[in-house]
Amino acid sequence: MRIGVLGAGQLGRMLALAGYPLAKTFVFYDMSGSPSAGLGEVIIDRDGQYLDDFLSRVDRVTYEFEHLPVEVAEKIATCKPVHPCPRALQVCQNREAEKTLFGQLGIPTPEWQIADSAESLREAAEALGCPVVAKSNTEGYDGKGQAVLRTPEDAEAAWNSIGHPRLIVEKFVDFHREVSIIAVRGEDGALAFYPMAENTHHEGILRYSIAPAPKLEMHVQEDAERYIKALLNELNYVGVLTLELFETADGLVANEMAPRVHNSGHWTIEGAMTSQFENHIRAVSGHPLGNVAPRGFSCMINIIGEHGDVERMLELPYAHVHLYNKGERPGRKLGHVNILADSYDELVWRVKNCAQFLPGSPEFKSSLTPRG
Ligand code: AMP
């Protein structure tokens, strides 16, 4: 089976790496002009001239990024099976649509309002009560196109700094930590849920994911599974879906979803019986889903901006280094290291030991480390 992937970055690369043992072949469709998958066939098509050529070479289509015009996904869906469905893309590209769907499905969200001018941003901040987070309704990712308003008087500056005609304004959530759940739904509607991950960000970029999330009460995992199941079934979704959440004193609050494999699931490559990438390929190809049980305690460390001392990391017997074959640039995701351990204590020690070879990495902070 030939799988067509829209997008050609590291997520596509890891999908292919997981798909080759199942005898899949891959054709990547790149609209950015700078593909980095480095595997399979790559069609670079900045002007949308070669879509038919791409489609003629594949049996099924999936994607590895969600900022793709919905019309393109819809057009493809008329001639080839596309998983997940274009509606999932549409929802993820529009925070208002996403939060509305969450609300309809009983998934808690921060209180929110829409603002379409500096004045209405100010009114929303007053109505919701500061602090609030204003986000561009479309085209935002990794904290870009966002501003925190400490008082309603910040509205003018925030509006100008974001520079977008429509914003979603959310009450600032007082969370203990950020977590995510990754689930997969097969063509037959079968479901599997990975254990949740605890995620630490720095400068808007994910740095560490620990899974299973430490000190997570069972009912919290169950709540997250209920929420993501509602989304998967509502969207008649096939493939891997990610839901990012805040854990608060009053339970989980949903932030956003990603209709694809996710950085907070990279730990599954060695840390779970079946990786998120393999399970996505299985689902998209119509195969049974694989076992999602963890193999121990995992932490994924992102390699951001500079590679650090890769040779020293390769010497560590418990570290699995994954490099994306990309050039160094501030803030760029270049690879990740998966650390496996038999206990959380051992995991903390191993993560700190590995992180010393990544000089650009922020200090390892998590619910496992004492707060400074
Ligand atoms: P997003 O692009 O929506 O994922 O937001 C990026 C980051 O901003 C999140 O990972 C959080 O750390 C923070 N953030 C977003 N929304 C809120 C909110 N309503 N309350 C508190 N922090 C938030």
Side-chain angles (χ1 to χ4, degrees):
M1 183 185 288
R2 299 163 306 168
I3 298 183
V5 181
L6 302 168
Q10 69 266 15
L11 299 179
R13 177 185 178 85
M14 289 185 273
L15 284 170
L17 287 169
Y20 285 133
L22 298 176
K24 311 299 176 197
T25 57
F26 290 84
V27 183
F28 294 96
Y29 182 76
D30 174 81
M31 281 166 286
S32 71
S34 55
S36 66
L39 292 168
E41 252 183 280
V42 182
I43 296 180
I44 300 177
D45 189 11
R46 296 179 90 151
D47 310 315
Q49 296 173 49
Y50 305 117
L51 191 58
D52 291 337
D53 186 23
F54 166 71
L55 291 174
S56 71
R57 290 162 192 256
V58 301
D59 301 306
R60 297 190 176 207
V61 177
T62 187
Y63 27 88
E64 56 102 80
F65 80 127
E66 65 271 36
H67 297 287
L68 162 94
V70 177
E71 307 80 65
V72 175
E74 281 168 345
K75 182 176 171 215
I76 294 171
T78 60
C79 44
K80 291 281 153 97
V82 179
H83 296 309
C85 56
R87 185 177 162 216
L89 265 192
Q90 197 171 23
V91 169
C92 293
Q93 289 179 359
N94 185 311
R95 293 183 188 273
E96 183 181 3
E98 188 180 46
K99 293 252 159 40
T100 302
L101 180 64
F102 288 172
Q104 286 164 352
L105 296 174
I107 303 170
T109 66
E111 265 185 85
W112 60 273
Q113 287 193 7
I114 292 294
D116 56 8
S117 64
E119 188 47 36
S120 65
L121 174 57
R122 182 198 174 87
E123 285 162 14
E126 264 162 12
L128 293 167
C130 281
V132 294
V133 189
K135 306 176 179 179
S136 64
N137 190 40
T138 54
E139 291 143 33
Y141 67 96
D142 276 355
K144 298 196 171 59
Q146 298 193 10
V148 175
L149 281 72
R150 305 267 160 218
T151 75
E153 280 67 54
D154 294 339
E156 186 83 36
W159 177 263
N160 292 334
S161 79
I162 298 173
H164 199 275
R166 194 170 176 84
L167 308 183
I168 187 163
V169 192
E170 300 174 6
K171 189 137 179 83
F172 194 90
V173 178
D174 182 19
F175 56 82
H176 304 321
R177 59 176 168 178
E178 295 188 65
V179 290
S180 56
I181 183 157
I182 294 181
V184 56
R185 186 169 180 273
E187 246 180 8
D188 59 356
L191 294 165
F193 307 95
Y194 285 97
M196 291 170 77
E198 173 183 309
N199 304 320
T200 308
H201 299 83
H202 180 72
E203 293 168 350
I205 303 172
L206 180 67
R207 301 299 174 136
Y208 298 97
S209 280
I210 304 173
K215 301 172 201 161
L216 189 85
E217 292 187 55
M218 183 119 75
H219 69 88
V220 179
Q221 173 83 26
E222 286 166 1
D223 285 347
E225 289 185 8
R226 207 172 58 251
Y227 300 152
I228 200 164
K229 179 178 173 180
L231 286 165
L232 288 163
N233 288 338
E234 165 66 23
L235 296 168
N236 195 18
Y237 195 98
V238 174
V240 164
L241 177 71
T242 306
L243 182 60
E244 294 183 56
L245 304 133
F246 302 118
E247 194 184 13
T248 76
D250 303 322
L252 293 171
V253 175
N255 180 26
E256 62 183 1
M257 66 185 218
R260 54 171 168 78
V261 288
H262 194 256
N263 198 170
S264 70
H266 290 2
W267 66 271
T268 61
I269 297 177
E270 287 89 14
M273 295 297 286
T274 314
S275 76
Q276 62 166 348
F277 302 100
E278 179 177 335
N279 257 331
H280 187 73
I281 296 298
R282 284 178 179 235
V284 166
S285 311
H287 297 313
L289 304 180
N291 182 354
V292 290
R295 291 181 196 260
F297 301 89
S298 291
C299 180
M300 188 267 339
I301 312 174
N302 259 345
I303 303 176
I304 307 290
E306 48 184 306
H307 284 101
D309 195 340
V310 171
E311 298 301 317
R312 295 300 303 276
M313 290 189 285
L314 286 169
E315 286 172 1
L316 302 173
Y318 43 77
H320 301 269
V321 180
H322 298 259
L323 300 176
Y324 309 152
N325 203 13
K326 287 160 78 174
E328 295 188 342
R329 195 170 70 205
R332 196 173 198 203
K333 291 179 180 171
L334 304 176
H336 69 273
V337 189
N338 284 343
I339 306 287
L340 270 162
D342 293 325
S343 70
Y344 285 123
D345 284 346
E346 190 176 56
L347 188 66
V348 170
W349 185 87
R350 289 179 170 182
V351 169
K352 288 187 173 168
N353 204 35
C354 180
Q356 66 179 310
F357 303 122
L358 286 168
S361 251
E363 193 194 340
F364 176 51
K365 287 198 189 117
S366 74
S367 63
L368 295 170
T369 48
R371 305 228 168 233

